[in-house]
Amino acid sequence: MPTNTQAVATAAHSGSAATEAFRESAGRRETAAADSARIDLVARDLLSRIHDVIREHHVTYAEYQAVKQWLIEVGQSGEWPLFLDVFVEHVVEEVATSDCHGSRGTIEGPYYLPGQVPLPATATLPMRDGEKGEPLVFAGQVRAVGGTPLPGVQLDIWHADADGLYSGFAPGIPAGNLRGVVTADEAGHFEIRTMLPAPYEIPKDGPTGQLIAAAGWHAWRPAHLHLMVSAPGYRKLTTQLYFDGGQWLDSDVAQAVKPELILRAQTGPDGTRHARYDFVLDPT
Ligand code: DHB
Ligand code: FE
């Protein structure tokens, strides 16, 4: 939980920083073809389902105007990436990976940043002196569907700190903190030292948080590691790993938890957590 006042007070900044990061990622994204028939089909169906909701629930003029105001605020505060990744991305991911046979993926979320420090197969993520939290050693192997260990694997890893905050988004955290790009060894093995992340709470001070509060929902995601695992000739896996027994596993606001993605960490004699996960990649 964000226990210090700075964490809570500065959370709103994360939404607008996520919009900046999204704009800067334009060059790396696949472009959607401007196919008129496709746009007609999807846009018309989407609007028609909104019309159905208005009819079914007798949405009033006052509610319609309140929604308009709220949508304006989501845009002005830069929270569209945050809102969409938390409430919509999980279904896009489900559809996109429905033909995969390897490890389960899940949402990328709004807090990925490219170009992080390259690290060897056995590595410690960049962290502050006296970085808060419990030490974690996360190790495993990357193989192909069928079992062949893969050479040339990159594991791009990023996660929140022990206050549930991400470097590059919440201010006051050094650039690149708890982020790195690990190259696994020739047999796909890796061992990454870091600090256990805390659960993440959607900033309460922006329109996404206001909607959540107004609806009486909670704004939490269980503690997680983000990973993008890639190797030449294989489909890039975007996933997250969670921790057995962690809070919010059964009620993730982003609906991004899958049972296959829950790590069973063991605690060593010195208190260090050890977790293992073997990734399986699909060929392209
Ligand atoms: C959001 C934040 C995350 O850390 C994440 O993994 C997914 C979504 C969000 O605030 O939208
Ligand atoms: Fe996250």
Side-chain angles (χ1 to χ4, degrees), residues 107-111 158-160 166 200 221-222 224-226 240:
I107 65 172
E108 178 179 320
Y111 297 144
W158 71 105
H159 65 83
Y166 286 86
Y200 163 86
R221 301 213 57 228
H224 55 279
L225 305 174
H226 287 270
Q240 299 184 22

Side-chain angles (χ1 to χ4, degrees), residues 88-99:
V88 180
E89 187 185 356
H90 69 101
V91 187
V92 181
E93 191 278 333
E94 174 192 310
V95 170
T97 62
S98 58
D99 60 339

Side-chain angles (χ1 to χ4, degrees), residues 107-171:
I107 65 172
E108 178 179 320
Y111 297 144
Y112 173 71
L113 289 173
Q116 301 304 312
V117 66
L119 296 167
T122 299
T124 301
L125 294 188
M127 62 180 80
R128 293 162 281 192
D129 287 342
E131 182 76 39
K132 244 170 89 176
E134 296 170 61
L136 169 69
V137 180
F138 169 59
Q141 186 181 21
V142 186
R143 301 195 194 91
V145 166
T148 318
L150 289 178
V153 173
Q154 282 203 338
L155 300 108
D156 203 330
I157 178 166
W158 71 105
H159 65 83
D161 66 12
D163 287 322
L165 299 174
Y166 286 86
S167 64
F169 295 90

Side-chain angles (χ1 to χ4, degrees), residues 74-90:
V74 176
Q76 283 176 343
S77 65
E79 282 196 0
W80 276 120
L82 194 143
F83 176 83
L84 291 168
D85 291 352
V86 91
F87 289 114
V88 180
E89 187 185 356
H90 69 101

